[in-house]
Amino acid sequence: MPVPALLAHDLVHTLGTRRVLDGVSLTASPGHRIGLIGENGAGKTTLLRLLAGVDEPDRGNVERPDELGFLHQELPYPVDATLTDVLDDALREAREDLAELDRAGAELATAAQDSPDHPHLLAAYGEHLQRAQERDAWDADRRASLVLDGLGLGSLPHDRTLGSLAGGQRSRLALAALLIRQPAALLLDEPTNHLDDEAAEFVEERLRALPGVVVVASHDRAFLDAVCTDLIDLDPSLEGPTRYGGNYTDYQAVKRAERERWQRRFEAEQEELEALRHSAGVTAHRVAPYRAMRDNEKMGYGRRGNRVDHQISRRVRNASRRLDDLRRAQVLEPPRPLRFSPPALARPVTDPGTLEVAADAAPGPVLSLRGVRVPGRMRLDSLEVSECERLLVTGANGSGKSTLLAVLAGELEPRGEVRRRPGLSVALLAQDTVFERPDRTVRDTYTAGVGAERAESVPLVSLGLMEARDLDKRVGELSVGQRRRLALALLVASPPALLLLDEPTNHLSPRLCDELEDALGPGPGAVVVASHDRRLRSRWQGRELRMHAEPSRA
């Protein structure tokens, strides 16, 4: 039996007063693995929920296969359910297929070949056999064991309850259940969250082997590169949501060229608008025959003057009509991307209380650690950070990356020696973003954070991190991703001499991640980044420090 496609037609969906999706269509055929990308709020999760049938669109419709799996944020089981319960449910369809095949085989074996029921029984047996083969039902139990091992869950006792598992373990178990089931259509929302490198690569391999449809929303650029055959960009563009063939690297090249074309068209239209305004308002009225009448043209002077007047009038009308048409049809200016240009990585040397980075600056590191230790969390023999350092801190979860950044920021007092250059300004972008005044608007929070003069010279919307429509929202109303981008904007607009970024690509769209990486190139000021982002790590050009977990006996 052919595997059915997943189809969506002209989906429209509104959340509150904002239209999140406006006429989005999607065709996902078997064998296609489609990645959804875009900023937070662009509609990735909303589209997945509509495709899954969890929510209903305001307009439009979805045609979905009967066998569909959707990765929820939490497992759809009670907290007292065990791993055995989850696995039994994941294996239920495969076991039912084998049971139906055995039953059909038994009925076929007892029916005489010349009986009227024999053709029907034979056809039924063939259908059950084909279904069991498509689901690889005979290998389901072995597949379950491989998936659990691949996701780091193989050592968990099967009588453990879901309530006793950590949040990351529950998320991995939800993903494991879907990979074991292998439904005809698989919808995944950020599937690589809580996965280490090895587990992420395992999931990529399993998804590439699936014969059905995969639609996934992800900010993990390495994952999008490894898995996707197509990408749908839900961010603003000239043509609205756009589908691109290929993986993330292919998309990058096409998107870059597309944005350049958009910018060129915008600039050309603005030049034409200015020329038409000038033509309609000034130039045409200056072209007139009002000169002294000659003796030999007394009879034709007025006629020629009227003819020129008509020509001028026609030019003005044509210019005005074209101006009106172009005003109505002109393209909007492309959204300004985040730009960490090198001059913006260190504060101006005239700012009070900041460290001057100059050719005659004092030699030596701006910060150094010796024999530093936070019992049970981090241990480091030595570290020096230079004035223009680009340092990447890597390591497994629990190895102390965030702890090290807190020590560098002066937010955590360790054992050992920590030396900072006098006057050193340091700022940390932590993983958990909390603002003291959640009742304050985004605009006021930004102004209070960087100062009125800086806020005017570096407008928040110019950084490409916040939409203009969100400036008057209260900070407490923002999503997790929006709050994190606001915190990053405060650092971008008024960066310190030592900038510390803890998992900076979390909650950023792939496009912003690319631009953030480019911005962290050579330049004044020191930058220390802790990250698990595989693409960022693979492209890092600076120094790398790999952390190892502090032994528990310490």
Side-chain angles (χ1 to χ4, degrees), residues 362-388:
V366 296
L367 188 148
S368 63
L369 309 180
R370 293 289 184 275
V372 167
R373 182 180 174 195
V374 178
R377 295 171 60 180
M378 185 203 75
R379 183 172 188 168
L380 191 63
D381 292 335
S382 65
L383 175 65
E384 292 187 347
V385 180
S386 65
E387 291 169 347
C388 299

mmCIF file of all heavy atoms in Angstrom, residues 362-388:
data_model
loop_
_atom_site.group_PDB
_atom_site.id
_atom_site.type_symbol
_atom_site.label_atom_id
_atom_site.label_comp_id
_atom_site.label_asym_id
_atom_site.label_seq_id
_atom_site.Cartn_x
_atom_site.Cartn_y
_atom_site.Cartn_z
ATOM 1 N N ALA A 362 48.205 48.189 28.947
ATOM 2 C CA ALA A 362 49.101 47.394 29.779
ATOM 3 C C ALA A 362 49.143 45.962 29.280
ATOM 4 O O ALA A 362 48.116 45.399 28.905
ATOM 5 C CB ALA A 362 48.627 47.437 31.219
ATOM 6 N N PRO A 363 50.333 45.348 29.243
ATOM 7 C CA PRO A 363 50.436 43.964 28.768
ATOM 8 C C PRO A 363 49.789 43.011 29.756
ATOM 9 O O PRO A 363 49.540 43.353 30.905
ATOM 10 C CB PRO A 363 51.945 43.756 28.675
ATOM 11 C CG PRO A 363 52.517 44.702 29.695
ATOM 12 C CD PRO A 363 51.636 45.914 29.657
ATOM 13 N N GLY A 364 49.561 41.776 29.281
ATOM 14 C CA GLY A 364 49.014 40.747 30.150
ATOM 15 C C GLY A 364 47.525 40.558 29.948
ATOM 16 O O GLY A 364 46.853 41.336 29.260
ATOM 17 N N PRO A 365 46.959 39.510 30.522
ATOM 18 C CA PRO A 365 45.550 39.196 30.341
ATOM 19 C C PRO A 365 44.645 40.187 31.071
ATOM 20 O O PRO A 365 45.064 40.840 32.032
ATOM 21 C CB PRO A 365 45.426 37.794 30.946
ATOM 22 C CG PRO A 365 46.500 37.744 31.988
ATOM 23 C CD PRO A 365 47.642 38.544 31.422
ATOM 24 N N VAL A 366 43.401 40.269 30.602
ATOM 25 C CA VAL A 366 42.423 41.097 31.310
ATOM 26 C C VAL A 366 41.843 40.333 32.497
ATOM 27 O O VAL A 366 41.305 40.929 33.432
ATOM 28 C CB VAL A 366 41.284 41.548 30.373
ATOM 29 C CG1 VAL A 366 41.824 42.443 29.269
ATOM 30 C CG2 VAL A 366 40.529 40.359 29.788
ATOM 31 N N LEU A 367 41.955 39.004 32.433
ATOM 32 C CA LEU A 367 41.423 38.165 33.512
ATOM 33 C C LEU A 367 42.187 36.851 33.528
ATOM 34 O O LEU A 367 42.497 36.294 32.474
ATOM 35 C CB LEU A 367 39.925 37.920 33.285
ATOM 36 C CG LEU A 367 39.132 37.228 34.391
ATOM 37 C CD1 LEU A 367 37.698 37.741 34.414
ATOM 38 C CD2 LEU A 367 39.124 35.721 34.184
ATOM 39 N N SER A 368 42.499 36.345 34.725
ATOM 40 C CA SER A 368 43.215 35.068 34.834
ATOM 41 C C SER A 368 42.710 34.294 36.040
ATOM 42 O O SER A 368 42.299 34.866 37.057
ATOM 43 C CB SER A 368 44.723 35.298 34.951
ATOM 44 O OG SER A 368 45.035 36.010 36.134
ATOM 45 N N LEU A 369 42.706 32.963 35.903
ATOM 46 C CA LEU A 369 42.307 32.050 36.973
ATOM 47 C C LEU A 369 43.469 31.110 37.279
ATOM 48 O O LEU A 369 44.173 30.662 36.369
ATOM 49 C CB LEU A 369 41.087 31.219 36.566
ATOM 50 C CG LEU A 369 39.854 31.949 36.016
ATOM 51 C CD1 LEU A 369 38.762 30.935 35.676
ATOM 52 C CD2 LEU A 369 39.334 32.965 37.001
ATOM 53 N N ARG A 370 43.635 30.770 38.573
ATOM 54 C CA ARG A 370 44.645 29.799 38.993
ATOM 55 C C ARG A 370 44.039 28.904 40.069
ATOM 56 O O ARG A 370 43.564 29.385 41.098
ATOM 57 C CB ARG A 370 45.879 30.512 39.580
ATOM 58 C CG ARG A 370 46.699 31.327 38.598
ATOM 59 C CD ARG A 370 47.473 30.444 37.615
ATOM 60 N NE ARG A 370 48.321 31.241 36.741
ATOM 61 C CZ ARG A 370 47.919 31.810 35.632
ATOM 62 N NH1 ARG A 370 46.646 31.668 35.255
ATOM 63 N NH2 ARG A 370 48.742 32.528 34.887
ATOM 64 N N GLY A 371 44.066 27.600 39.786
ATOM 65 C CA GLY A 371 43.590 26.640 40.782
ATOM 66 C C GLY A 371 42.162 26.903 41.243
ATOM 67 O O GLY A 371 41.841 26.766 42.422
ATOM 68 N N VAL A 372 41.298 27.230 40.321
ATOM 69 C CA VAL A 372 39.912 27.595 40.658
ATOM 70 C C VAL A 372 39.045 26.343 40.759
ATOM 71 O O VAL A 372 39.137 25.430 39.932
ATOM 72 C CB VAL A 372 39.351 28.561 39.605
ATOM 73 C CG1 VAL A 372 37.852 28.699 39.750
ATOM 74 C CG2 VAL A 372 40.005 29.921 39.737
ATOM 75 N N ARG A 373 38.189 26.365 41.759
ATOM 76 C CA ARG A 373 37.349 25.191 41.997
ATOM 77 C C ARG A 373 36.041 25.605 42.654
ATOM 78 O O ARG A 373 36.020 26.421 43.579
ATOM 79 C CB ARG A 373 38.086 24.222 42.908
ATOM 80 C CG ARG A 373 37.348 22.933 43.200
ATOM 81 C CD ARG A 373 38.197 22.073 44.105
ATOM 82 N NE ARG A 373 37.508 20.881 44.546
ATOM 83 C CZ ARG A 373 37.917 20.119 45.551
ATOM 84 N NH1 ARG A 373 39.016 20.451 46.223
ATOM 85 N NH2 ARG A 373 37.251 19.047 45.896
ATOM 86 N N VAL A 374 34.948 25.053 42.143
ATOM 87 C CA VAL A 374 33.635 25.166 42.775
ATOM 88 C C VAL A 374 33.223 23.731 43.096
ATOM 89 O O VAL A 374 32.899 22.970 42.181
ATOM 90 C CB VAL A 374 32.600 25.835 41.852
ATOM 91 C CG1 VAL A 374 31.232 25.877 42.538
ATOM 92 C CG2 VAL A 374 33.051 27.234 41.464
ATOM 93 N N PRO A 375 33.303 23.330 44.368
ATOM 94 C CA PRO A 375 33.116 21.913 44.724
ATOM 95 C C PRO A 375 31.840 21.326 44.128
ATOM 96 O O PRO A 375 30.757 21.896 44.222
ATOM 97 C CB PRO A 375 33.052 21.953 46.251
ATOM 98 C CG PRO A 375 33.868 23.148 46.619
ATOM 99 C CD PRO A 375 33.599 24.151 45.544
ATOM 100 N N GLY A 376 32.020 20.165 43.486
ATOM 101 C CA GLY A 376 30.903 19.451 42.887
ATOM 102 C C GLY A 376 30.436 19.998 41.560
ATOM 103 O O GLY A 376 29.564 19.409 40.911
ATOM 104 N N ARG A 377 31.015 21.132 41.098
ATOM 105 C CA ARG A 377 30.499 21.755 39.875
ATOM 106 C C ARG A 377 31.578 22.052 38.843
ATOM 107 O O ARG A 377 31.340 21.915 37.638
ATOM 108 C CB ARG A 377 29.765 23.063 40.226
ATOM 109 C CG ARG A 377 28.533 22.849 41.065
ATOM 110 C CD ARG A 377 27.962 24.164 41.573
ATOM 111 N NE ARG A 377 27.587 25.061 40.484
ATOM 112 C CZ ARG A 377 27.068 26.270 40.686
ATOM 113 N NH1 ARG A 377 26.899 26.709 41.927
ATOM 114 N NH2 ARG A 377 26.754 27.038 39.659
ATOM 115 N N MET A 378 32.762 22.459 39.275
ATOM 116 C CA MET A 378 33.778 22.862 38.304
ATOM 117 C C MET A 378 35.159 22.840 38.936
ATOM 118 O O MET A 378 35.322 23.142 40.122
ATOM 119 C CB MET A 378 33.498 24.281 37.790
ATOM 120 C CG MET A 378 34.428 24.729 36.683
ATOM 121 S SD MET A 378 34.523 26.524 36.565
ATOM 122 C CE MET A 378 35.550 26.911 37.970
ATOM 123 N N ARG A 379 36.133 22.486 38.110
ATOM 124 C CA ARG A 379 37.526 22.543 38.527
ATOM 125 C C ARG A 379 38.368 22.942 37.333
ATOM 126 O O ARG A 379 38.217 22.391 36.240
ATOM 127 C CB ARG A 379 37.967 21.183 39.057
ATOM 128 C CG ARG A 379 39.408 21.178 39.585
ATOM 129 C CD ARG A 379 39.699 19.866 40.273
ATOM 130 N NE ARG A 379 40.984 19.891 40.958
ATOM 131 C CZ ARG A 379 41.375 18.973 41.826
ATOM 132 N NH1 ARG A 379 40.582 17.959 42.127
ATOM 133 N NH2 ARG A 379 42.552 19.054 42.409
ATOM 134 N N LEU A 380 39.267 23.933 37.533
ATOM 135 C CA LEU A 380 40.093 24.424 36.432
ATOM 136 C C LEU A 380 41.444 24.848 36.992
ATOM 137 O O LEU A 380 41.521 25.665 37.916
ATOM 138 C CB LEU A 380 39.403 25.617 35.756
ATOM 139 C CG LEU A 380 39.995 26.096 34.426
ATOM 140 C CD1 LEU A 380 39.902 25.011 33.367
ATOM 141 C CD2 LEU A 380 39.249 27.343 33.945
ATOM 142 N N ASP A 381 42.504 24.287 36.424
ATOM 143 C CA ASP A 381 43.851 24.587 36.926
ATOM 144 C C ASP A 381 44.266 26.010 36.582
ATOM 145 O O ASP A 381 44.798 26.730 37.428
ATOM 146 C CB ASP A 381 44.860 23.587 36.354
ATOM 147 C CG ASP A 381 44.641 22.184 36.894
ATOM 148 O OD1 ASP A 381 44.084 22.070 38.008
ATOM 149 O OD2 ASP A 381 44.996 21.216 36.200
ATOM 150 N N SER A 382 44.052 26.431 35.306
ATOM 151 C CA SER A 382 44.461 27.781 34.931
ATOM 152 C C SER A 382 43.729 28.218 33.671
ATOM 153 O O SER A 382 43.326 27.397 32.846
ATOM 154 C CB SER A 382 45.974 27.843 34.680
ATOM 155 O OG SER A 382 46.333 27.062 33.562
ATOM 156 N N LEU A 383 43.579 29.539 33.545
ATOM 157 C CA LEU A 383 42.957 30.129 32.365
ATOM 158 C C LEU A 383 43.336 31.602 32.309
ATOM 159 O O LEU A 383 43.278 32.308 33.320
ATOM 160 C CB LEU A 383 41.433 30.007 32.412
ATOM 161 C CG LEU A 383 40.677 30.716 31.273
ATOM 162 C CD1 LEU A 383 40.991 30.067 29.926
ATOM 163 C CD2 LEU A 383 39.175 30.715 31.539
ATOM 164 N N GLU A 384 43.724 32.062 31.128
ATOM 165 C CA GLU A 384 43.970 33.477 30.899
ATOM 166 C C GLU A 384 43.138 33.941 29.712
ATOM 167 O O GLU A 384 43.047 33.238 28.696
ATOM 168 C CB GLU A 384 45.454 33.748 30.626
ATOM 169 C CG GLU A 384 46.355 33.527 31.838
ATOM 170 C CD GLU A 384 47.789 33.965 31.578
ATOM 171 O OE1 GLU A 384 48.117 34.203 30.393
ATOM 172 O OE2 GLU A 384 48.564 34.062 32.534
ATOM 173 N N VAL A 385 42.534 35.116 29.865
ATOM 174 C CA VAL A 385 41.720 35.709 28.802
ATOM 175 C C VAL A 385 42.387 37.020 28.385
ATOM 176 O O VAL A 385 42.542 37.920 29.209
ATOM 177 C CB VAL A 385 40.283 35.968 29.276
ATOM 178 C CG1 VAL A 385 39.461 36.591 28.148
ATOM 179 C CG2 VAL A 385 39.628 34.673 29.747
ATOM 180 N N SER A 386 42.775 37.117 27.120
ATOM 181 C CA SER A 386 43.458 38.311 26.629
ATOM 182 C C SER A 386 42.458 39.363 26.176
ATOM 183 O O SER A 386 41.244 39.119 26.135
ATOM 184 C CB SER A 386 44.396 37.945 25.483
ATOM 185 O OG SER A 386 43.645 37.477 24.371
ATOM 186 N N GLU A 387 42.972 40.533 25.796
ATOM 187 C CA GLU A 387 42.120 41.677 25.478
ATOM 188 C C GLU A 387 41.166 41.416 24.320
ATOM 189 O O GLU A 387 40.031 41.881 24.321
ATOM 190 C CB GLU A 387 42.993 42.885 25.153
ATOM 191 C CG GLU A 387 43.740 43.438 26.346
ATOM 192 C CD GLU A 387 44.786 44.454 25.917
ATOM 193 O OE1 GLU A 387 45.064 44.513 24.706
ATOM 194 O OE2 GLU A 387 45.310 45.165 26.779
ATOM 195 N N CYS A 388 41.638 40.722 23.300
ATOM 196 C CA CYS A 388 40.825 40.474 22.106
ATOM 197 C C CYS A 388 40.523 38.986 21.946
ATOM 198 O O CYS A 388 40.367 38.487 20.824
ATOM 199 C CB CYS A 388 41.525 41.020 20.863
ATOM 200 S SG CYS A 388 41.799 42.795 20.919
#
